[in-house]
């Protein structure tokens, strides 16, 4: 069953569009994250879903009930949508204690007292705050306050819960623990969850599906693995931490393998592209790969996909080294694990040294850039590669 259905959602602030006719469908019980950089429209989407923002145009259906339809001037206010909401700022009532905060939505919904008491107990236990029942919320740590806010959002048993960057105010370790708690509450209370964050790691570890937004539209959606491993555009690749995004020309085309000669360079990389993707020889394309998807090669050796360059900067990152390499005029960022250095009997890489490495052709992807997949030399239409699993 579909729990959240959005069509043509548009929001203007003055003359500036924040959402540009967005379509979205979220299944019952799904945990979906809206991910993207600041200003891409994820919070505006969430606030429209929760009823905290009035869309300029569009239709929103929650749990089978239409709550927004601008054609019919229909707008159901937030308190009538039967949804839960968790904010970055916790938004607790400072004059109430922990139990009173959690019970508040139940009071408003006129849930009888005995049931209120048992539900508050159940939630206190679920978030591990039973011992803090009578504590004023102002006397709690940030993590504890956010747990009260999670419990309060779930108190009225909403089918859908919206999370607006709920972990951003917490330190790294607590963020991880709280993230796990959010996901286990989602499972325990069998809610549908829509979660907003700009943190890719949070999105990957919590979600069933990730929706990457760009300027008020969906850029790509997929499972965490698809988004992490197979970004389809340079925008998503860049956001998901592909440190190398380079341009080149197609010089060879196999089933899924493409040989790309980098622009203004003699370097030829092997890259992955969908077998049915039309990429004619001579097409100008963008290739993206992660710093860690390289392997050291014997110095001075030659092979397709092998890059020779000079180390410009070395940064120790614990498990290995991040290297900035000048490959005959093309800058590349690579990461070499210590174990790999050991197996090559090499010591610490130092600036000025020559280095040779192979870029893994299964992990170097042809991605669309802002102008589309290819440029002037392409003679045929091209389409985006489908994600592989
Ligand atoms: P962030 O992570 O920084 O909150 P976001 O991806 O959630 O970013 P939104 O907050 O949805 O993005 O904002 C989308 C666009 O709408 C931005 O350009 C923002 O400046 C603009 N915007 C958001 N709220 C308002 C407002 N109340 N008035 C005017 N412009 C707004």
């Amino acid at each position: 069953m579909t729990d959240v259905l959005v069509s043509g959602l548009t929001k203007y602030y003055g003359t500036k569009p924040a959402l540009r006719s967005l379509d979205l469908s979220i299944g019952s019980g799904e945990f979906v994250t809206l991910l993207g950089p600041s200003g891409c429209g994820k919070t505006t989407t969430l606030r429209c879903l929760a009823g905290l923002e009035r869309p300029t145009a569009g239709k929103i259906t929650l749990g089978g009930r239409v709550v927004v339809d601008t054609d019919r001037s229909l707008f159901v206010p937030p308190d009538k949508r039967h949804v839960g909401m968790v904010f970055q700022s916790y938004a607790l009532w400072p004059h109430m204690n922990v139990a009173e905060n959690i019970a508040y939505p139940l009071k408003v919904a006129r849930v009888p007292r005995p049931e209120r008491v048992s539900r508050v107990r159940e939630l206190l236990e679920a978030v591990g705050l039973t011992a803090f029942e009578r504590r004023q919320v102002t006397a709690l740590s940030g993590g504890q306050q956010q747990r009260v806010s999670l419990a309060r959002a779930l108190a009225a048993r909403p089918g859908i819960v919206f999370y607006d960057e709920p972990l951003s105010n917490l330190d790294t370790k607590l963020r991880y623990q709280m993230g796990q708690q959010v996901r286990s509450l989602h499972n325990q209370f069998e809610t549908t969850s829509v979660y907003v964050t700009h943190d890719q790691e949070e999105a990957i570890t919590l979600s069933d599906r990730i929706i990457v937004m760009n300027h008020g539209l969906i850029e790509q959606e997929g499972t965490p693995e698809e988004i992490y491993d197979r970004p389809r555009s340079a925008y998503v690749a860049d956001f998901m931490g592909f440190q190398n995004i380079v341009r080149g020309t197609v010089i060879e085309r196999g089933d899924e393998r493409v040989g790309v000669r980098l622009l203004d360079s003699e370097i030829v990389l092997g890259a992955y592209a969908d077998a049915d993707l039309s990429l004619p020889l001579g097409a100008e394309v963008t290739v993206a790969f992660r710093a860690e998807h390289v392997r050291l090669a014997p110095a001075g050796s030659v092979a397709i996909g092998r890059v020779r360059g000079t180390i410009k900067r070395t940064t120790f990152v614990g498990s290995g080294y991040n290297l900035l390499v000048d490959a005959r005029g093309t800058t590349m960022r690579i990461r070499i694990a210590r174990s790999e250095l050991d197996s090559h009997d090499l010591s610490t890489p130092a600036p000025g040294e020559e280095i040779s490495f192979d870029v893994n052709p299964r992990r170097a992807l042809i991605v669309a850039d802002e102008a589309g997949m290819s440029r002037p030399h392409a003679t045929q239409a091209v389409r985006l590669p489908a994600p592989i699993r």
Side-chain angles (χ1 to χ4, degrees):
M1 198 185 111
T2 304
D3 241 7
V4 178
L5 193 62
V6 170
S7 63
L9 186 64
T10 304
K11 175 70 185 176
Y12 274 80
Y13 291 108
T15 55
K16 203 168 160 264
L19 298 176
R20 300 181 290 152
S21 198
L22 190 85
D23 295 330
L24 195 64
S25 165
I26 297 174
S28 179
E30 242 193 315
F31 194 117
V32 170
T33 296
L34 306 178
L35 178 69
S38 183
C40 68
K42 49 197 191 301
T43 302
T44 304
T45 307
L46 199 77
R47 291 176 62 82
C48 286
L49 293 175
L52 302 172
E53 208 72 70
R54 275 177 185 262
T56 311
K59 189 173 170 183
I60 300 174
T61 308
L62 299 179
R65 174 173 165 233
V66 180
V67 293
V68 172
D69 186 351
T70 51
D71 285 347
R72 292 193 282 144
S73 301
L74 174 75
F75 180 85
V76 175
D79 56 320
K80 301 278 186 296
R81 293 194 183 190
H82 197 55
V83 296
M85 182 96 197
V86 182
F87 299 93
Q88 183 179 342
S89 57
Y90 320 137
L92 298 174
W93 302 109
H95 59 288
M96 294 182 190
N97 68 28
V98 169
E100 287 163 347
N101 262 283
I102 299 172
Y104 185 76
L106 301 173
K107 247 183 171 170
V108 173
R110 296 185 201 284
V111 173
R113 194 178 150 74
E115 192 180 341
R116 253 177 17 222
V117 171
S118 84
R119 274 209 229 168
V120 168
R121 279 217 183 105
E122 177 194 25
L123 285 157
L124 281 169
E125 199 181 324
V127 297
L129 285 179
T130 305
F132 295 84
E133 189 178 352
R134 303 280 154 222
R135 176 87 63 94
Q136 285 305 118
V137 290
T138 44
L140 295 176
S141 72
Q144 289 165 334
Q145 288 189 43
Q146 194 54 302
R147 280 194 263 157
V148 177
S149 141
L150 287 174
R152 186 184 58 180
L154 292 163
R157 304 239 165 97
I160 308 172
V161 182
F162 299 122
Y163 298 89
D164 188 6
E165 308 238 14
L167 312 183
S168 300
N169 284 341
L170 307 174
D171 67 50
T172 315
K173 196 171 158 207
L174 201 54
R175 223 160 44 213
Y176 177 77
Q177 289 168 354
M178 287 292 297
Q180 297 308 304
Q181 178 136 50
V182 166
R183 181 66 215 212
S184 75
L185 290 170
H186 163 93
N187 297 348
Q188 182 182 344
F189 289 89
E190 298 179 336
T191 60
T192 298
S193 300
V194 188
Y195 191 99
V196 159
T197 184
H198 60 267
D199 184 319
Q200 47 147 301
E201 206 172 308
E202 221 169 276
I204 287 168
T205 50
L206 298 182
S207 322
D208 297 318
R209 183 155 56 103
I210 296 174
I211 294 175
V212 184
M213 294 186 65
N214 182 8
H215 285 105
L217 282 174
I218 294 175
E219 176 86 10
Q220 185 176 350
E221 56 186 298
T223 63
E225 289 90 344
E226 283 165 355
I227 298 291
Y228 188 84
D229 287 337
R230 299 276 172 208
R232 290 199 233 164
S233 63
Y235 173 88
V236 178
D238 183 35
F239 190 70
M240 295 308 290
F242 280 62
Q243 298 87 340
N244 298 284
I245 297 177
V246 291
R247 289 199 59 83
T249 308
V250 175
I251 58 162
E252 205 183 317
R253 180 73 165 110
D255 276 355
E256 288 178 339
R257 299 288 172 90
V258 185
V260 178
R261 185 190 305 281
L262 302 193
L263 294 190
D264 306 318
S265 163
E266 289 306 306
I267 298 171
V268 174
L269 294 183
Y272 169 86
D274 237 13
D276 57 352
L277 177 67
S278 170
L279 281 177
L281 296 183
E284 209 177 297
V285 291
T286 303
V287 181
F289 65 92
R290 291 183 183 277
E292 62 268 32
H293 289 148
V294 302
R295 189 177 298 154
L296 277 180
S301 57
V302 180
I304 285 199
R306 185 152 299 167
V307 181
R308 289 172 63 184
T310 310
I311 299 172
K312 288 289 166 201
R313 198 173 62 217
T314 305
T315 310
F316 177 56
V317 292
S319 58
Y321 293 88
N322 283 349
L323 306 181
L324 188 73
V325 177
D326 174 18
R328 314 276 185 270
T330 303
T331 299
M332 292 195 184
R333 290 171 172 79
I334 64 169
R335 180 170 305 159
I336 305 293
R338 280 183 139 175
S339 53
E340 219 192 328
L341 286 172
D342 291 346
S343 67
H344 279 75
D345 217 7
L346 291 172
S347 54
T348 311
E353 277 177 19
E354 283 284 310
I355 189 167
S356 293
F357 56 89
D358 293 325
V359 177
N360 183 345
R362 288 287 301 170
R363 297 289 181 183
L365 310 175
I366 304 281
V367 294
D369 64 13
E370 270 171 33
M373 180 62 78
S374 61
R375 288 223 176 132
H377 309 297
T379 51
Q380 289 170 270
V382 289
R383 66 169 188 76
L384 295 180
I388 61 160
R389 307 205 59 193

